[in-house]
């Protein structure tokens, strides 16, 4: 009997303790307050759209982006989309979203993103009005439009900060190369000129061509790589046939500096009037180592217009 009473008492103590514990640490937790419900999952995007400028100035390479659209219309940036263009002849668009204009006109920047419908960006390539560039007279303007643009109308020259690295495998005396910076350096202060001993490091090659029917000839061009502007000159070549260069070093030097002018982006020859004082290094005949007032205006344009830009009325 005593053993039963002791067991009953022990059970009663355990029951009271359990009740106390249950009262302090029950469903409500140790403070007696229910924990907050977990936050709802963030909303998911229902669509996406391309964002970027409504107009793009020729000669620039802006970037476009992608945003996801939530059910309430708000947006957030998206990464990982792939971009393209509706009209490659107007502008190329790299898969990463860099826009490279080629000529004036409207086009769409399109994009894809897994699982989402993407709205395209409608934009337009525009040019730069003549009124915003260094003033020149009508003859200089006509010359520039004819001889300083490519087939798409893009202004062609080397980009600011470029270095022209000449490779001259013993064809011309080094003093000819040294004269490039002396003569053209003052007209092209954003460029540097140097010579290299390794042809793989050069972007202007000097080559011997005994079949050439004149002293020298030259050419230049841009890059075909994605993301580059066609109007930016990145390479040049000067062919030389010293047997056709005449007997004086002055004539050879002037011919070389003349061809460097073409490599810089001056596609034509300046007028060659009878008065020697009005001739210059870019004259077709009777070249002289000088910058005439006519060529001076042309070089102001060279410095004042970005490569790849398109000048338009206004």
């Amino acid at each position: 009997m005593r053993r039963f009473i002791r067991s009953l008492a022990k059970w009663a103590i355990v029951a009271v303790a359990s009740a106390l514990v249950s009262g302090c640490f029950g469903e409500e937790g140790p403070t007696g307050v229910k924990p907050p419900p977990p936050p709802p999952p963030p909303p998911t995007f229902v669509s996406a759209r391309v964002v970027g400028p409504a107009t793009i100035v020729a000669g620039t390479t802006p970037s476009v982006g992608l945003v996801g659209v939530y059910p309430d219309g708000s947006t957030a940036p998206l990464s990982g989309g792939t971009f393209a263009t509706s009209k490659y002849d107007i502008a190329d668009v790299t898969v990463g979203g860099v826009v490279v204009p080629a000529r004036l006109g409207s086009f769409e920047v399109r994009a894809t993103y897994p699982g989402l419908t993407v709205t395209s960006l409608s934009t337009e390539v525009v040019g730069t009005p003549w009124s915003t560039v260094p003033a020149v007279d009508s003859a200089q303007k006509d010359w520039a439009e004819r001889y300083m643009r490519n087939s798409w109308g893009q202004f062609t020259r080397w980009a600011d900060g470029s270095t022209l690295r000449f490779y001259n495998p013993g064809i011309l005396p080094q003093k000819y190369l040294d004269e490039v910076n002396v003569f053209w350096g003052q007209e092209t202060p954003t460029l540097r000129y140097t010579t290299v001993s390794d042809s793989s490091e050069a972007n202007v090659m000097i080559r011997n061509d005994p079949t050439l029917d004149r002293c020298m000839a030259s050419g230049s061009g841009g890059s075909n790589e994605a993301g580059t502007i066609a109007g930016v000159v990145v390479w040049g070549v000067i062919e030389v046939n010293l047997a056709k260069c005449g007997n004086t070093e002055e004539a050879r030097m002037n011919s070389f500096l003349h061809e460097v002018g073409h490599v810089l982006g001056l596609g034509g020859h300046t007028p060659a009037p009878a008065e020697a004082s009005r001739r210059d290094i870019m004259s077709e005949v009777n070249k002289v180592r000088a910058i005439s007032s006519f060529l001076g205006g042309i070089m102001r344009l060279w410095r004042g217009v970005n490569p790849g830009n398109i000048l338009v009325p206004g």
Side-chain angles (χ1 to χ4, degrees):
M1 185 66 177
R2 288 179 181 175
R3 183 179 297 172
F4 173 76
I5 292 172
R6 284 198 300 269
S7 298
L8 184 62
K10 184 185 292 185
W11 176 86
I13 292 171
V14 172
V16 171
S18 299
L20 290 173
V21 170
S22 178
C24 293
F25 300 98
E27 292 182 359
E28 286 98 2
T31 62
V33 179
K34 288 186 177 181
T44 57
F45 296 120
V46 295
S47 62
R49 68 170 182 263
V50 182
V51 292
T55 58
I56 297 171
V57 178
T60 64
T61 54
S63 295
V64 295
L66 196 64
V67 296
V69 182
Y70 290 117
D72 63 358
S74 59
T75 62
L78 276 176
S79 60
T82 301
F83 297 88
T85 176
S86 64
K87 296 181 180 178
Y88 286 95
D89 59 333
I90 292 179
D92 191 11
V93 181
T94 67
V95 293
V98 177
V99 183
V100 185
R103 63 181 180 88
L104 305 183
S106 300
F107 68 103
E108 290 183 348
V109 180
R110 298 172 176 171
T112 57
Y113 192 86
L116 295 178
T117 300
V118 182
T119 302
S120 301
L121 169 69
S122 295
T123 188
E124 180 183 10
V125 180
V126 298
T128 298
W130 274 95
S131 59
T132 65
V133 300
V136 294
D137 62 30
S138 59
Q140 292 165 333
K141 175 183 175 181
D142 292 343
W143 194 95
E145 288 185 320
R146 183 175 181 181
Y147 296 120
M148 299 176 75
R149 302 189 303 165
N150 62 17
S151 59
W152 281 351
Q154 294 174 301
F155 196 87
T156 56
R157 72 169 175 90
W158 293 72
D160 292 343
S162 299
T163 298
L164 277 70
R165 301 182 297 275
F166 291 83
Y167 176 66
N168 172 39
I171 297 173
L172 297 175
Q174 181 59 38
K175 61 183 176 181
Y176 288 25
L177 281 298
D178 295 339
E179 186 67 15
V180 173
N181 188 59
V182 175
F183 182 83
W184 284 114
Q186 59 186 339
E187 298 296 327
T188 57
T190 64
L191 301 186
R192 293 181 63 247
Y193 303 92
T194 188
T195 55
V196 294
S197 57
D198 187 340
S199 61
S200 66
E201 299 176 356
N203 52 22
V204 182
M205 304 289 292
I206 299 174
R207 298 173 179 166
N208 182 50
D209 183 0
T211 68
L212 195 64
D213 61 359
R214 56 189 184 277
C215 178
M216 299 185 196
S218 59
S220 62
S223 170
N224 293 325
E225 295 181 6
T228 58
I229 301 175
V232 179
V233 179
V234 298
W235 63 267
V237 60
I238 298 176
E239 305 282 357
V240 180
N241 183 2
L242 290 176
K244 298 287 185 177
C245 285
N247 298 324
T248 68
E249 187 169 72
E250 181 75 8
R252 297 190 192 99
M253 175 82 80
N254 290 348
S255 291
F256 175 65
L257 294 175
H258 174 96
E259 298 306 329
V260 172
H262 287 317
V263 170
L264 290 174
L266 306 177
H269 298 121
T270 55
E275 302 91 338
S277 61
R278 296 176 59 194
R279 301 173 195 159
D280 55 53
I281 198 65
M282 296 309 298
S283 297
E284 185 170 11
V285 295
N286 300 322
K287 306 174 188 67
V288 295
R289 206 177 312 169
I291 301 292
S292 65
S293 59
F294 185 91
L295 182 56
I298 296 301
M299 295 312 298
R300 285 196 303 274
L301 275 181
W302 191 101
R303 295 186 294 269
V305 180
N306 290 332
N309 211 325
I310 299 175
L311 301 181
V312 296

